[in-house]
Each structure stands twice: as structure tokens, then as C-alpha cells.
Amino acid sequence: MDRSQDELWMRRAIYLAARNLGLTGDNPVVGCVIVQGDAVVGEGATAASGRPHAEEIALEQAGERARGAAAYVTLEPCGERSSGAASCGQRLARAGVARVIVSWEDPSVMAAGRGLAQLREAGIETEVGLLQAEAAVLYDGYQPRVSR
């Protein structure tokens, strides 16, 4: 994959997240862009009040076009949901995405490497750290719960 294209799509995810900065309650703001070939097939940002998550919105837009696609996510997908619903890591895996590119790892108890582990266990290529410095504005002051 062309690195400049990866950066383009991650910048789009950062932009989407930044529009909802400060509006997502206790949940961090996240942007997600799903790309099939050279086209965006789904995108979203964590909604005001923190639900639905960015990945859920983007996957709903993408539908079957998510299969084999790349997902650009500003923060590691959650590995567990407080509601008991499928995590974003599980949703991305079930959708059949081929790659997940993440800017920031999430230290919260709901992620803490578990979202990435779910993806890797499903055979999905993952990358962490793309444009981390540019996404820093999204997570400055983010104070996740790190234990149960």
C-alpha cells in the first residue's frame, strides 16, 4: 500500500474525529475511514454522547464493501463493550476487513491491546502509530479507566 495514501486516509479520520472533540462524554472521540481500493466506502466519528462508535457508523455505511478493505482508525478499536454488545474489534473482524491502521493505542480497560489482539487473531493485518503526532490533539487530556 502506498504510504501517502495511508496518510491521506488517516488524516481524514483525524479530521472526522476532531469535529466531535469534546462532545462524546466519557468516551474518547474516534474517527474511522474504510477504504476499498481508492474509494471511501464508509466513514464516521464517535457520536455526541459517545454512541455509536466511529467504527460502527463506518461499517454500517460500508456494508459488504468492507470485506477486504482497509480501516483507518484514530484510536485502537475497543476490545469489549460495557453494554455487552460486540466490540469494535469484533465488528471489524466480522466485516472481513483486510487491514486496520491505528494512530493511537488505547490504554483503557475496554481496549488495552485487546481490540488489536482480536484483529490479529482473525488474521487481519494491523499497524499502529500512523500520524500519531497529528492525532495527539484528539487524546490530550484523555483519562481512560485503566482498571475494573
Side-chain angles (χ1 to χ4, degrees):
M1 179 56 97
D2 178 5
R3 190 53 149 189
S4 65
Q5 286 297 105
D6 283 346
E7 291 177 357
L8 173 77
W9 301 126
M10 185 60 79
R11 281 190 179 96
R12 175 71 182 163
I14 293 167
Y15 166 78
L16 292 169
R19 295 188 320 179
N20 284 357
L21 191 58
L23 303 177
T24 58
D26 291 338
N27 282 358
V29 67
V30 177
C32 177
V33 177
I34 300 175
V35 177
Q36 181 65 262
D38 291 330
V40 173
V41 295
E43 63 180 21
T46 304
S49 80
R51 298 271 192 283
H53 289 184
E55 298 93 331
E56 291 176 88
I57 295 167
L59 285 167
E60 184 174 320
Q61 285 179 9
E64 284 300 313
R65 297 173 297 171
R67 188 157 308 285
Y72 297 83
V73 189
T74 59
L75 187 67
E76 175 184 356
C78 63
E80 180 182 349
R81 296 289 291 269
S82 59
S83 68
S87 70
C88 290
Q90 291 167 327
R91 289 171 191 260
L92 287 161
R94 288 179 189 161
V97 298
R99 292 177 67 217
V100 177
I101 302 89
V102 173
S103 187
W104 278 74
E105 287 185 75
D106 187 347
S108 80
V109 69
M110 298 308 217
R114 292 189 320 207
L116 288 167
Q118 289 170 347
L119 297 169
R120 290 174 182 140
E121 287 168 12
I124 297 168
E125 178 186 340
T126 63
E127 178 184 336
V128 178
L130 181 64
L131 299 183
Q132 189 173 37
E134 290 184 32
V137 67
L138 301 173
Y139 306 112
D140 183 38
Y142 171 46
Q143 298 292 319
R145 194 175 85 206
V146 294
S147 64
R148 291 193 181 271

